[in-house]
Amino acid sequence: KRGTCYWNFEKLQKVCNWADCEGIQLHMHAIGDGAVHTAVEAIKRAIDINGSLGKTYHVITHLQLADDEDLDIMAKYKIVAAVQPYWICCVGESYSVDRKNLGNRVESEYKLASLLNRGVLVTGSSDSPVVEQPIAFWAMRQALLRENRKEIPGVDQLIKMFTENAAKQLGLEQQFGRIEEGYRADFIALNKEVTEETICKKEIEIVKRITFF
């Protein structure tokens, strides 16, 4: 099954060419593999036409399903993957619904490890306001408890997705995302060390938020 395509590719390509030429970051939402492929191809062609590789971090968000060939292109053309791990189905009713509609393809949803292993800049986001309480540790828990163990990233990688990588996507990597001299102090104090065990057991709590600008 496929959704309705409201943009023909020629029109989409023109928009992408113009935005890339002007140095405007493209932020395209794509959930299914067909939509992801279209977005990747449009951005790739724009970069080739403008000779602009590495000048602008274009973004594709969601990426619930994506073919490996498109992930390879994302790595080569430095296309950012903005993923919402909150939606990774682990067990229960939601997982059953996805399996019913996707069959075995449910195992290849949200290919976090595949993206990261290819060198794609992966950022974590909440999809707010769809997610009522955008708490990053809840998203990390979903990523760590998923059925397909091959797509589970490391805890350090998950933390970077929501901090350093997110700042880079926004062009603020010289100001935010790291605890380092010269960076703006915008961080949280936690009750426990962040490990796979403490995340999965929901033991992490924010005890203080510290922000100095």
Short mmCIF file of all heavy atoms in Angstrom, two decimals, residues 138-185:
data_model
loop_
_atom_site.label_atom_id
_atom_site.label_comp_id
_atom_site.label_asym_id
_atom_site.label_seq_id
_atom_site.Cartn_x
_atom_site.Cartn_y
_atom_site.Cartn_z
N TRP A 138 12.81 8.40 28.04
CA TRP A 138 11.75 7.49 27.63
C TRP A 138 12.00 7.01 26.21
O TRP A 138 11.78 5.84 25.88
CB TRP A 138 10.39 8.18 27.73
CG TRP A 138 9.97 8.48 29.14
CD1 TRP A 138 10.71 8.32 30.27
CD2 TRP A 138 8.70 8.98 29.56
NE1 TRP A 138 9.99 8.71 31.37
CE2 TRP A 138 8.78 9.12 30.97
CE3 TRP A 138 7.54 9.34 28.89
CZ2 TRP A 138 7.69 9.60 31.72
CZ3 TRP A 138 6.47 9.82 29.64
CH2 TRP A 138 6.55 9.94 31.04
N ALA A 139 12.42 7.93 25.35
CA ALA A 139 12.73 7.56 23.97
C ALA A 139 13.90 6.58 23.92
O ALA A 139 13.90 5.61 23.16
CB ALA A 139 13.06 8.81 23.16
N MET A 140 14.91 6.84 24.74
CA MET A 140 16.07 5.94 24.78
C MET A 140 15.66 4.54 25.23
O MET A 140 16.18 3.54 24.72
CB MET A 140 17.13 6.50 25.74
CG MET A 140 17.74 7.81 25.30
SD MET A 140 18.94 8.41 26.52
CE MET A 140 19.21 10.09 25.93
N ARG A 141 14.73 4.48 26.17
CA ARG A 141 14.26 3.19 26.66
C ARG A 141 13.62 2.38 25.53
O ARG A 141 13.86 1.19 25.39
CB ARG A 141 13.26 3.39 27.80
CG ARG A 141 12.74 2.09 28.41
CD ARG A 141 11.86 2.38 29.62
NE ARG A 141 11.44 1.16 30.27
CZ ARG A 141 10.33 0.49 29.94
NH1 ARG A 141 9.53 0.95 28.98
NH2 ARG A 141 10.01 -0.63 30.57
N GLN A 142 12.80 3.04 24.71
CA GLN A 142 12.18 2.37 23.58
C GLN A 142 13.24 1.82 22.62
O GLN A 142 13.11 0.71 22.10
CB GLN A 142 11.26 3.32 22.83
CG GLN A 142 10.02 3.75 23.59
CD GLN A 142 9.12 2.58 23.92
OE1 GLN A 142 9.06 2.15 25.08
NE2 GLN A 142 8.43 2.05 22.93
N ALA A 143 14.28 2.61 22.40
CA ALA A 143 15.34 2.18 21.48
C ALA A 143 16.12 0.99 22.04
O ALA A 143 16.58 0.14 21.28
CB ALA A 143 16.29 3.35 21.22
N LEU A 144 16.26 0.92 23.35
CA LEU A 144 17.05 -0.14 23.97
C LEU A 144 16.28 -1.45 24.14
O LEU A 144 16.88 -2.52 24.23
CB LEU A 144 17.56 0.33 25.34
CG LEU A 144 18.62 1.43 25.32
CD1 LEU A 144 18.84 1.97 26.71
CD2 LEU A 144 19.93 0.91 24.73
N LEU A 145 14.94 -1.36 24.20
CA LEU A 145 14.13 -2.55 24.46
C LEU A 145 13.52 -3.16 23.20
O LEU A 145 12.75 -4.11 23.29
CB LEU A 145 13.00 -2.20 25.44
CG LEU A 145 13.42 -1.88 26.88
CD1 LEU A 145 12.21 -1.50 27.71
CD2 LEU A 145 14.15 -3.06 27.51
N ARG A 146 13.88 -2.65 22.05
CA ARG A 146 13.24 -3.11 20.82
C ARG A 146 13.55 -4.58 20.51
O ARG A 146 14.54 -5.14 21.01
CB ARG A 146 13.69 -2.23 19.65
CG ARG A 146 15.15 -2.36 19.29
CD ARG A 146 15.52 -1.42 18.15
NE ARG A 146 14.73 -1.73 16.97
CZ ARG A 146 14.62 -0.90 15.93
NH1 ARG A 146 15.23 0.27 15.94
NH2 ARG A 146 13.90 -1.24 14.89
N GLU A 147 12.69 -5.19 19.70
CA GLU A 147 12.83 -6.60 19.34
C GLU A 147 14.09 -6.87 18.52
O GLU A 147 14.81 -7.83 18.77
CB GLU A 147 11.59 -7.04 18.54
CG GLU A 147 10.34 -7.18 19.37
CD GLU A 147 10.23 -8.54 20.03
OE1 GLU A 147 10.53 -9.54 19.37
OE2 GLU A 147 9.85 -8.58 21.21
N ASN A 148 14.34 -6.02 17.52
CA ASN A 148 15.48 -6.24 16.64
C ASN A 148 16.76 -5.74 17.32
O ASN A 148 17.08 -4.55 17.28
CB ASN A 148 15.27 -5.52 15.31
CG ASN A 148 16.37 -5.80 14.31
OD1 ASN A 148 17.35 -6.47 14.62
ND2 ASN A 148 16.22 -5.30 13.10
N ARG A 149 17.49 -6.65 17.94
CA ARG A 149 18.66 -6.28 18.72
C ARG A 149 19.77 -5.68 17.85
O ARG A 149 20.61 -4.92 18.34
CB ARG A 149 19.21 -7.51 19.46
CG ARG A 149 18.19 -8.30 20.26
CD ARG A 149 17.49 -7.46 21.31
NE ARG A 149 18.38 -7.03 22.38
CZ ARG A 149 18.02 -6.20 23.36
NH1 ARG A 149 16.80 -5.71 23.39
NH2 ARG A 149 18.89 -5.85 24.29
N LYS A 150 19.77 -6.00 16.56
CA LYS A 150 20.82 -5.49 15.68
C LYS A 150 20.71 -3.99 15.46
O LYS A 150 21.69 -3.35 15.05
CB LYS A 150 20.76 -6.20 14.32
CG LYS A 150 21.11 -7.69 14.38
CD LYS A 150 21.04 -8.31 13.00
CE LYS A 150 21.39 -9.79 13.06
NZ LYS A 150 21.33 -10.43 11.72
N GLU A 151 19.55 -3.43 15.70
CA GLU A 151 19.35 -2.00 15.47
C GLU A 151 19.41 -1.16 16.76
O GLU A 151 19.02 -0.01 16.78
CB GLU A 151 18.01 -1.75 14.77
CG GLU A 151 17.97 -2.21 13.33
CD GLU A 151 18.96 -1.48 12.42
OE1 GLU A 151 19.44 -0.39 12.82
OE2 GLU A 151 19.27 -2.00 11.34
N ILE A 152 19.90 -1.77 17.84
CA ILE A 152 20.01 -1.04 19.10
C ILE A 152 21.36 -0.31 19.15
O ILE A 152 22.42 -0.95 19.10
CB ILE A 152 19.89 -1.99 20.30
CG1 ILE A 152 18.49 -2.63 20.32
CG2 ILE A 152 20.16 -1.25 21.61
CD1 ILE A 152 18.29 -3.63 21.45
N PRO A 153 21.36 1.01 19.29
CA PRO A 153 22.62 1.74 19.41
C PRO A 153 23.12 1.69 20.85
O PRO A 153 22.42 1.23 21.76
CB PRO A 153 22.21 3.17 19.02
CG PRO A 153 20.77 3.26 19.36
CD PRO A 153 20.18 1.87 19.23
N GLY A 154 24.33 2.17 21.05
CA GLY A 154 24.88 2.25 22.40
C GLY A 154 24.28 3.41 23.16
O GLY A 154 23.76 4.36 22.57
N VAL A 155 24.37 3.36 24.49
CA VAL A 155 23.83 4.44 25.32
C VAL A 155 24.51 5.76 25.00
O VAL A 155 23.86 6.81 24.91
CB VAL A 155 23.98 4.09 26.82
CG1 VAL A 155 23.61 5.29 27.69
CG2 VAL A 155 23.11 2.90 27.18
N ASP A 156 25.84 5.73 24.80
CA ASP A 156 26.56 6.95 24.46
C ASP A 156 26.05 7.55 23.16
O ASP A 156 25.94 8.78 23.02
CB ASP A 156 28.06 6.68 24.35
CG ASP A 156 28.71 6.41 25.70
OD1 ASP A 156 28.05 6.68 26.73
OD2 ASP A 156 29.85 5.92 25.72
N GLN A 157 25.74 6.70 22.19
CA GLN A 157 25.21 7.18 20.92
C GLN A 157 23.83 7.80 21.09
O GLN A 157 23.52 8.82 20.49
CB GLN A 157 25.14 6.03 19.91
CG GLN A 157 26.49 5.53 19.44
CD GLN A 157 26.37 4.31 18.53
OE1 GLN A 157 25.69 3.35 18.87
NE2 GLN A 157 27.02 4.36 17.38
N LEU A 158 23.01 7.20 21.93
CA LEU A 158 21.67 7.73 22.19
C LEU A 158 21.75 9.11 22.85
O LEU A 158 21.00 10.02 22.50
CB LEU A 158 20.87 6.77 23.07
CG LEU A 158 20.36 5.51 22.39
CD1 LEU A 158 19.88 4.50 23.42
CD2 LEU A 158 19.23 5.84 21.41
N ILE A 159 22.66 9.25 23.80
CA ILE A 159 22.82 10.55 24.45
C ILE A 159 23.26 11.61 23.45
O ILE A 159 22.75 12.74 23.44
CB ILE A 159 23.83 10.44 25.61
CG1 ILE A 159 23.25 9.55 26.73
CG2 ILE A 159 24.17 11.82 26.16
CD1 ILE A 159 24.24 9.23 27.82
N LYS A 160 24.20 11.27 22.59
CA LYS A 160 24.67 12.22 21.58
C LYS A 160 23.56 12.62 20.61
O LYS A 160 23.51 13.76 20.14
CB LYS A 160 25.85 11.63 20.80
CG LYS A 160 27.16 11.63 21.55
CD LYS A 160 28.31 11.17 20.67
CE LYS A 160 28.61 12.19 19.58
NZ LYS A 160 29.81 11.83 18.79
N MET A 161 22.66 11.68 20.31
CA MET A 161 21.55 11.99 19.41
C MET A 161 20.73 13.16 19.93
O MET A 161 20.27 14.01 19.16
CB MET A 161 20.66 10.76 19.23
CG MET A 161 21.20 9.71 18.29
SD MET A 161 20.27 8.14 18.37
CE MET A 161 18.57 8.72 18.19
N PHE A 162 20.52 13.20 21.25
CA PHE A 162 19.68 14.23 21.85
C PHE A 162 20.45 15.47 22.31
O PHE A 162 19.84 16.42 22.78
CB PHE A 162 18.91 13.64 23.04
CG PHE A 162 17.74 12.80 22.64
CD1 PHE A 162 17.89 11.43 22.44
CD2 PHE A 162 16.48 13.35 22.47
CE1 PHE A 162 16.81 10.65 22.06
CE2 PHE A 162 15.40 12.58 22.09
CZ PHE A 162 15.56 11.21 21.89
N THR A 163 21.75 15.46 22.17
CA THR A 163 22.56 16.59 22.65
C THR A 163 23.45 17.15 21.54
O THR A 163 23.06 18.04 20.80
CB THR A 163 23.41 16.16 23.87
OG1 THR A 163 24.18 14.98 23.52
CG2 THR A 163 22.51 15.83 25.06
N GLU A 164 24.64 16.59 21.43
CA GLU A 164 25.62 17.11 20.48
C GLU A 164 25.13 17.05 19.04
O GLU A 164 25.28 18.01 18.28
CB GLU A 164 26.92 16.31 20.63
CG GLU A 164 28.08 16.84 19.82
CD GLU A 164 29.35 16.07 20.09
OE1 GLU A 164 29.42 15.36 21.12
OE2 GLU A 164 30.28 16.18 19.27
N ASN A 165 24.53 15.92 18.64
CA ASN A 165 24.07 15.79 17.26
C ASN A 165 22.91 16.74 16.97
O ASN A 165 22.83 17.32 15.88
CB ASN A 165 23.63 14.35 16.98
CG ASN A 165 24.79 13.38 16.98
OD1 ASN A 165 25.93 13.76 17.23
ND2 ASN A 165 24.51 12.12 16.72
N ALA A 166 22.01 16.90 17.94
CA ALA A 166 20.87 17.80 17.74
C ALA A 166 21.35 19.23 17.57
O ALA A 166 20.82 19.98 16.73
CB ALA A 166 19.92 17.70 18.93
N ALA A 167 22.35 19.64 18.35
CA ALA A 167 22.89 20.99 18.22
C ALA A 167 23.51 21.19 16.83
O ALA A 167 23.36 22.25 16.21
CB ALA A 167 23.93 21.24 19.30
N LYS A 168 24.17 20.16 16.33
CA LYS A 168 24.79 20.25 15.01
C LYS A 168 23.74 20.39 13.92
O LYS A 168 23.91 21.14 12.97
CB LYS A 168 25.67 19.02 14.75
CG LYS A 168 26.56 19.16 13.53
CD LYS A 168 27.58 18.04 13.47
CE LYS A 168 28.54 18.25 12.29
NZ LYS A 168 29.57 17.18 12.23
N GLN A 169 22.63 19.64 14.05
CA GLN A 169 21.55 19.76 13.07
C GLN A 169 21.03 21.19 12.99
O GLN A 169 20.71 21.70 11.92
CB GLN A 169 20.40 18.83 13.44
CG GLN A 169 19.18 18.98 12.52
CD GLN A 169 17.98 18.20 13.02
OE1 GLN A 169 18.10 17.06 13.42
NE2 GLN A 169 16.81 18.81 13.00
N LEU A 170 20.97 21.87 14.13
CA LEU A 170 20.46 23.23 14.20
C LEU A 170 21.51 24.29 13.89
O LEU A 170 21.21 25.49 13.91
CB LEU A 170 19.87 23.49 15.60
CG LEU A 170 18.69 22.61 16.00
CD1 LEU A 170 18.33 22.83 17.46
CD2 LEU A 170 17.49 22.87 15.10
N GLY A 171 22.73 23.85 13.62
CA GLY A 171 23.80 24.81 13.34
C GLY A 171 24.31 25.51 14.59
O GLY A 171 24.91 26.57 14.51
N LEU A 172 24.09 24.89 15.74
CA LEU A 172 24.48 25.49 17.02
C LEU A 172 25.54 24.67 17.75
O LEU A 172 25.66 24.72 18.96
CB LEU A 172 23.24 25.64 17.92
CG LEU A 172 22.11 26.53 17.38
CD1 LEU A 172 20.88 26.44 18.27
CD2 LEU A 172 22.59 27.98 17.27
N GLU A 173 26.30 23.89 16.99
CA GLU A 173 27.27 22.97 17.60
C GLU A 173 28.42 23.68 18.30
O GLU A 173 29.15 23.06 19.08
CB GLU A 173 27.82 21.99 16.57
CG GLU A 173 28.64 22.62 15.46
CD GLU A 173 27.82 22.98 14.24
OE1 GLU A 173 26.65 23.33 14.41
OE2 GLU A 173 28.37 22.90 13.13
N GLN A 174 28.61 24.99 18.06
CA GLN A 174 29.64 25.75 18.76
C GLN A 174 29.11 26.41 20.03
O GLN A 174 29.85 27.10 20.73
CB GLN A 174 30.22 26.82 17.83
CG GLN A 174 30.84 26.28 16.56
CD GLN A 174 31.96 25.30 16.83
OE1 GLN A 174 32.77 25.51 17.73
NE2 GLN A 174 32.02 24.22 16.05
N GLN A 175 27.83 26.19 20.32
CA GLN A 175 27.21 26.83 21.49
C GLN A 175 26.57 25.83 22.46
O GLN A 175 26.62 26.02 23.67
CB GLN A 175 26.12 27.81 21.04
CG GLN A 175 26.59 28.91 20.12
CD GLN A 175 25.44 29.80 19.70
OE1 GLN A 175 24.69 30.30 20.53
NE2 GLN A 175 25.29 30.00 18.40
N PHE A 176 25.96 24.78 21.91
CA PHE A 176 25.20 23.84 22.73
C PHE A 176 25.64 22.40 22.46
O PHE A 176 26.35 22.12 21.51
CB PHE A 176 23.70 23.96 22.43
CG PHE A 176 23.08 25.27 22.80
CD1 PHE A 176 22.87 26.25 21.83
CD2 PHE A 176 22.70 25.54 24.11
CE1 PHE A 176 22.29 27.46 22.16
CE2 PHE A 176 22.12 26.74 24.45
CZ PHE A 176 21.91 27.70 23.48
N GLY A 177 25.15 21.50 23.31
CA GLY A 177 25.30 20.07 23.05
C GLY A 177 26.45 19.40 23.75
O GLY A 177 26.54 18.16 23.77
N ARG A 178 27.35 20.18 24.36
CA ARG A 178 28.49 19.58 25.05
C ARG A 178 28.77 20.35 26.33
O ARG A 178 28.52 21.56 26.42
CB ARG A 178 29.74 19.62 24.16
CG ARG A 178 29.56 18.91 22.83
CD ARG A 178 30.73 19.15 21.90
NE ARG A 178 31.95 18.53 22.40
CZ ARG A 178 33.12 18.58 21.76
NH1 ARG A 178 33.20 19.20 20.60
NH2 ARG A 178 34.18 18.00 22.26
N ILE A 179 29.29 19.64 27.33
CA ILE A 179 29.75 20.30 28.55
C ILE A 179 31.23 20.57 28.38
O ILE A 179 32.08 19.69 28.57
CB ILE A 179 29.48 19.42 29.79
CG1 ILE A 179 27.98 19.13 29.91
CG2 ILE A 179 29.98 20.11 31.05
CD1 ILE A 179 27.62 18.20 31.05
N GLU A 180 31.51 21.79 27.97
CA GLU A 180 32.88 22.14 27.61
C GLU A 180 33.05 23.65 27.76
O GLU A 180 32.10 24.42 27.60
CB GLU A 180 33.15 21.71 26.16
CG GLU A 180 34.58 21.82 25.73
CD GLU A 180 34.80 21.21 24.34
OE1 GLU A 180 34.40 20.05 24.15
OE2 GLU A 180 35.36 21.91 23.48
N GLU A 181 34.26 24.08 28.06
CA GLU A 181 34.54 25.50 28.23
C GLU A 181 34.18 26.27 26.96
O GLU A 181 34.52 25.85 25.85
CB GLU A 181 36.02 25.73 28.56
CG GLU A 181 36.37 27.18 28.83
CD GLU A 181 37.83 27.38 29.21
OE1 GLU A 181 38.54 26.36 29.34
OE2 GLU A 181 38.25 28.54 29.37
N GLY A 182 33.46 27.36 27.14
CA GLY A 182 33.05 28.18 26.02
C GLY A 182 31.65 27.88 25.52
O GLY A 182 31.08 28.66 24.76
N TYR A 183 31.08 26.75 25.94
CA TYR A 183 29.71 26.39 25.55
C TYR A 183 28.71 26.95 26.57
O TYR A 183 29.04 27.14 27.74
CB TYR A 183 29.56 24.86 25.47
CG TYR A 183 30.10 24.28 24.20
CD1 TYR A 183 31.47 24.25 23.96
CD2 TYR A 183 29.24 23.77 23.22
CE1 TYR A 183 31.98 23.72 22.79
CE2 TYR A 183 29.75 23.23 22.05
CZ TYR A 183 31.11 23.21 21.84
OH TYR A 183 31.61 22.69 20.67
N ARG A 184 27.51 27.20 26.11
CA ARG A 184 26.47 27.69 27.00
C ARG A 184 26.05 26.59 27.97
O ARG A 184 25.90 25.44 27.57
CB ARG A 184 25.25 28.16 26.20
CG ARG A 184 25.56 29.36 25.30
CD ARG A 184 24.31 29.94 24.72
NE ARG A 184 24.61 31.07 23.86
CZ ARG A 184 23.68 31.86 23.31
NH1 ARG A 184 22.40 31.62 23.55
NH2 ARG A 184 24.02 32.87 22.55
N ALA A 185 25.88 26.97 29.21
CA ALA A 185 25.52 26.00 30.24
C ALA A 185 24.02 25.76 30.20
O ALA A 185 23.23 26.57 30.65
CB ALA A 185 25.94 26.51 31.61
#
